[in-house]
Amino acid sequence: MFYKFSKVLVRFIVFFMFRLRSVGTENVPKEGPAILAMNHTSNQDPIMAALTCPRQLRFMAKSELFDIKIFGGLIRSLGAFPVHRGKGDLAAIKAAFNIFKKGEVMLMFPEGGRVKNSEHRKAKPGVALIAQKSGVPVIPVNISGKFRFMNRITVTYGKPISFEEYKGLRMSGEEIQKLADGVLENIYSLKA
């Protein structure tokens, strides 16, 4: 309920700040678990994903954000859970699997942090590792545009990438990295 109320309120505010447009939202499955894998250019990216995605999102957020009591409580109530970056966070991975068991959609940023619009980075393996272990499809999402007053922001949803064929396979770190890089290249190819 709070998520839906917040979405309506923020959509009203964003309407006066940006020209937000979404493309390809039909690529988000109407039900069942999925990962939205999105490039990360700004702090506003999770908000734009939540506003344009037809389903409620859950998302990993860096653990430091939860140290800010009021903000941490707010983002937790909106579906965020902490991830400790730079190390294998088993609690975050378990939380992701619980989200999938409930048939929910999780937002992830394969770049691992914010990058400038034109910069391309090597993918962090987390998205591919979680998708490979769970068999959950990955929907590549690209956000483009500059967050300046009345600029156009475009959120483009690509076709789902199936990981079902990899589920249960023993894969090397190199193979997982190759899958992760493929997801990120797919995201970059969607730039409007």
Side-chain angles (χ1 to χ4, degrees):
M1 184 69 171
F2 182 66
Y3 184 93
K4 288 181 181 177
F5 171 76
S6 299
K7 191 170 176 175
V8 169
L9 179 65
V10 173
R11 187 182 307 247
F12 180 75
I13 295 166
V14 166
F15 177 79
F16 291 103
M17 294 180 65
F18 308 112
R19 296 178 335 186
L20 180 61
R21 175 176 89 111
S22 59
V23 178
T25 55
E26 68 277 3
N27 290 320
V28 178
K30 294 193 184 334
E31 57 186 37
I35 297 171
L36 291 189
M38 185 180 206
N39 62 319
H40 198 6
T41 62
S42 165
N43 287 330
Q44 288 90 349
D45 295 342
I47 296 167
M48 299 305 151
L51 290 178
T52 58
C53 185
R55 293 180 59 192
Q56 182 171 339
L57 296 178
R58 300 289 311 274
F59 53 100
M60 291 183 176
K62 62 183 179 179
S63 58
E64 296 85 3
L65 294 176
F66 294 87
D67 294 339
I68 308 163
K69 294 291 182 208
I70 294 173
F71 185 72
L74 175 66
I75 61 174
R76 194 179 298 277
S77 67
L78 292 171
F81 61 95
V83 62
H84 297 278
R85 299 185 305 171
K87 51 186 165 187
D89 187 344
L90 289 178
I93 292 170
K94 285 180 185 175
F97 277 81
N98 285 332
I99 286 167
F100 301 147
K101 281 181 190 168
K102 295 176 188 171
E104 297 178 327
V105 179
M106 186 173 72
L107 174 66
M108 294 183 75
F109 298 104
E111 294 162 317
R114 290 186 310 276
V115 297
K116 294 183 178 153
N117 245 348
S118 58
E119 184 184 342
H120 284 214
R121 209 182 251 188
K122 186 174 181 168
K124 300 289 184 191
V127 169
L129 181 65
I130 290 172
Q132 186 264 330
K133 296 282 186 205
S134 66
V136 168
V138 174
I139 293 95
V141 183
N142 185 285
I143 185 164
S144 60
K146 299 219 183 282
F147 285 95
R148 293 193 186 120
F149 185 67
M150 293 311 290
N151 267 11
R152 177 175 298 284
I153 305 297
T154 303
V155 182
T156 306
Y157 292 79
K159 300 272 186 210
I161 302 167
S162 175
F163 277 76
E164 193 62 42
E165 66 182 284
Y166 304 110
K167 186 176 178 181
L169 294 180
R170 292 185 86 119
M171 298 184 76
S172 68
E174 191 175 284
E175 290 170 317
I176 292 289
Q177 185 62 55
K178 189 174 179 181
L179 290 176
D181 290 337
V183 168
L184 193 53
E185 282 309 311
N186 201 311
I187 293 167
Y188 290 149
S189 75
L190 296 171
K191 186 170 182 175

